[in-house]
Amino acid sequence: MSYIPNTDADRAKMLAAVGASSISALFDHLPQQVRDAADFSALPDALDDISLRRRLLELSGKSVTMDSHACFLGAGIYDHFIPPTVGFVTGRTEFYTAYTPYQPEVSQGVLQSIYEFQSLICQLTGMDVCNASMYDGATALAEAVIMAADLTKRKKVLLPSSLHPALRQVIETYLDPLGIVIATLDCDPVTGQLPVMADAEAACVVVQSPNFYGVIEDLKAHANAAHANGALLVASVDPISLGLLEAPGDCDVDILVAEGQGLGVFPAFGGPLLGIFCCKKEFIRRIPGRIVGVTKDSEGTKGYVMTLRTREQDIRRDTATSNICTNQALFALAATVYLASFGKTGMIEVATLCLQKAHYAAEQLASLPGFSLVYSGPFFKEFLIQCPSDPVALNKTFLAAGILGGLPLPGNQMLVCVTEQRTKAEIDQLVACLR
């Protein structure tokens, strides 16, 4: 924790501001029997700063982290390398404490960073428009489904069985009060891919690629099928995979969402995260969140402003396109710095390393007696492996060897993730634990 230099005078002012005579008076609202029951006699004596720091380091050393253990766990949160440039820029106070930039005349730096984020994401995805301020990939997908229903005036959406369970749960929560019906499309039991189909009553078809099991879907084929039935294609993607895969914009995707955590955001126990939301330009006025645009003032000087959306949008209740009213620009800035640090060539290299290392790990695991790949479809950095025994028990073996194993799933299956961070030695050690 950072040092906060509160003097006795500072504390006196704070107590006066809340109407308390002393620090102990802050606890007067607690019943006397509760305060009398508080027994701190068992606490050890206070430590000096040197001893306290040593003790805290000792305790923290007992934690299992992605730094202390080789991580093969993914399923939505990923152990990707974060360049030091990300922390340097996002740690600057002018960005670190920023709130929604409603006053452009004093917020040009933050507005420009959001504009650069939007621009880079559009380059990465091939989409026309990108917004900012989506909470995470799950809520972004729910917003996309609602937007599709609003655009098509239909009350049915198609969700694949291969959709991440957390994404499905968030969509169900968002749609429950709206009267929008959810229909499930089963993936192929051999390939793990979603059969190309649509529904003349559906507002949209949701396709996750790579899907929850790591299998890559044919977005272009799904877009064609959806459009033939008057529906929209909503795609949820892994932005890292776009270093190699065809851009969703080139596949005629209508609305694209993604979880941006892999773009320079620490896993942090599963959040907070970064939602990415893109769409075709004809849908720009129905997009949730906010958009930053660039213009010129009366003197011809370039300036950045929030556009196509005012703060009053947040109080329009049921007539608003969305009720998102906060600012996720800090993590959007992290993604911006990440993408700028790697550039196009770097993103290709990161994606290539993920692909090659994941396929090497899959080949090695599938060669073990009793182990096999569940699906034959193409995969990027995650794959589902069939195990001969309980994967929970296997993970205990991995943990003892300094490895964080994959995600256990029903039927003795394990979802394994391999990012660019993993070395050949770590993959070989994972396999050796199972021999």
Side-chain angles (χ1 to χ4, degrees):
M1 180 180 291
S2 300
Y3 172 66
I4 302 175
N6 289 328
T7 64
D8 289 339
D10 293 330
R11 283 187 281 272
K13 288 180 181 179
M14 288 187 281
L15 288 170
V18 298
S21 58
S22 64
I23 292 178
S24 61
L26 295 173
F27 303 95
D28 285 346
H29 64 285
L30 294 176
Q32 188 62 47
Q33 61 268 30
V34 173
R35 284 181 280 168
D36 291 342
D39 181 11
F40 302 106
S41 60
L43 289 177
D45 294 336
L47 299 175
D48 58 75
D49 283 1
I50 296 174
S51 300
L52 178 60
R53 183 175 184 277
R54 184 179 296 116
R55 176 57 176 158
L56 291 175
L57 289 173
E58 177 187 337
L59 292 173
S60 66
K62 296 181 179 180
S63 298
V64 173
T65 70
M66 291 179 176
D67 291 326
S68 63
H69 288 57
C71 180
F72 291 90
L73 180 63
I77 302 293
Y78 300 104
D79 180 27
H80 286 292
F81 173 71
I82 301 177
T85 48
V86 173
F88 175 79
V89 177
T90 59
R92 292 181 62 89
T93 54
E94 61 264 44
F95 292 121
Y96 201 63
T97 59
Y99 184 57
T100 302
Y102 289 119
Q103 295 177 276
E105 65 274 15
V106 295
S107 304
Q108 285 298 292
V110 174
L111 287 166
Q112 181 179 357
S113 72
I114 297 174
Y115 180 82
E116 301 295 350
F117 165 75
Q118 295 170 178
S119 302
L120 287 170
I121 294 298
C122 284
Q123 290 181 36
L124 180 67
T125 62
M127 300 295 291
D128 297 330
V129 181
C130 173
N131 73 356
S133 300
M134 305 303 292
Y135 300 126
D136 50 44
T139 52
L141 182 54
E143 293 276 0
V145 171
I146 293 172
M147 177 176 159
D150 177 62
L151 287 167
T152 60
K153 307 305 179 186
R154 296 179 178 181
K155 291 288 187 177
K156 181 180 181 181
V157 299
L158 305 182
L159 301 185
S161 60
S162 54
L163 184 67
H164 194 300
L167 300 185
R168 173 179 284 273
Q169 290 174 1
V170 173
I171 292 174
E172 291 173 347
T173 300
Y174 270 56
L175 298 190
D176 182 61
L178 301 179
I180 299 176
V181 178
I182 296 175
T184 300
L185 302 176
D186 291 328
C187 66
D188 187 284
V190 176
T191 66
Q193 293 176 303
L194 185 65
V196 177
M197 59 183 297
D199 188 319
E201 299 178 350
C204 65
V205 179
V206 174
V207 177
Q208 183 180 12
S209 181
N211 62 31
F212 177 60
Y213 305 115
V215 180
I216 299 169
E217 304 280 7
D218 186 344
L219 293 181
K220 185 172 293 185
H222 286 291
N224 292 336
H227 297 158
N229 286 269
L232 301 179
L233 177 63
V234 176
S236 175
V237 304
D238 177 352
I240 297 293
S241 71
L242 300 183
L244 286 179
L245 300 180
E246 186 175 9
D250 295 335
C251 297
D252 206 18
V253 170
D254 297 291
I255 306 174
L256 175 81
V257 300
E259 172 52 61
Q261 176 269 323
L263 303 177
V265 179
F266 286 103
F269 297 98
L273 303 171
L274 169 65
I276 293 173
F277 193 110
C278 305
C279 69
K280 293 180 176 178
K281 60 184 177 182
E282 54 261 41
F283 306 140
I284 189 171
R285 290 189 178 275
R286 303 304 297 170
I287 198 170
R290 50 181 52 85
I291 297 174
V292 172
V294 63
T295 186
K296 290 183 179 180
D297 63 16
S298 59
E299 297 178 351
T301 304
K302 180 187 290 187
Y304 299 91
V305 294
M306 284 200 296
T307 184
L308 298 179
R309 188 178 186 279
T310 63
R311 184 167 188 167
E312 286 67 36
Q313 173 78 341
D314 305 322
I315 58 175
R316 288 174 57 195
R317 301 173 68 84
D318 57 320
T319 61
T321 57
S322 170
N323 293 117
I324 293 175
C325 58
T326 190
N327 186 29
Q328 287 286 89
L330 183 63
F331 285 164
L333 175 63
T336 303
V337 179
Y338 179 96
L339 291 169
S341 297
F342 278 109
K344 181 178 179 179
T345 302
M347 290 301 295
I348 294 174
E349 185 174 354
V350 171
T352 300
L353 287 172
C354 290
L355 179 75
Q356 292 175 342
K357 293 183 177 186
H359 279 254
Y360 173 73
E363 291 170 2
Q364 296 301 306
L365 288 171
S367 68
L368 297 174
F371 289 85
S372 62
L373 289 176
V374 176
Y375 296 121
S376 62
F379 63 91
F380 174 54
K381 67 183 181 188
E382 288 182 279
F383 54 89
L384 192 61
I385 198 84
Q386 181 68 53
C387 307
S389 58
D390 184 6
V392 174
L394 295 179
N395 273 343
K396 292 180 180 179
T397 301
F398 293 146
L399 192 61
I403 295 172
L404 291 173
L407 178 69
L409 292 175
N412 286 347
Q413 295 178 347
M414 178 183 287
L415 183 63
V416 179
C417 175
V418 186
T419 70
E420 82 284 3
Q421 295 260 66
R422 302 286 65 83
T423 66
K424 181 177 182 297
E426 290 170 339
I427 297 172
D428 291 342
Q429 184 185 13
L430 174 79
V431 175
C433 288
L434 302 175
R435 293 192 187 279

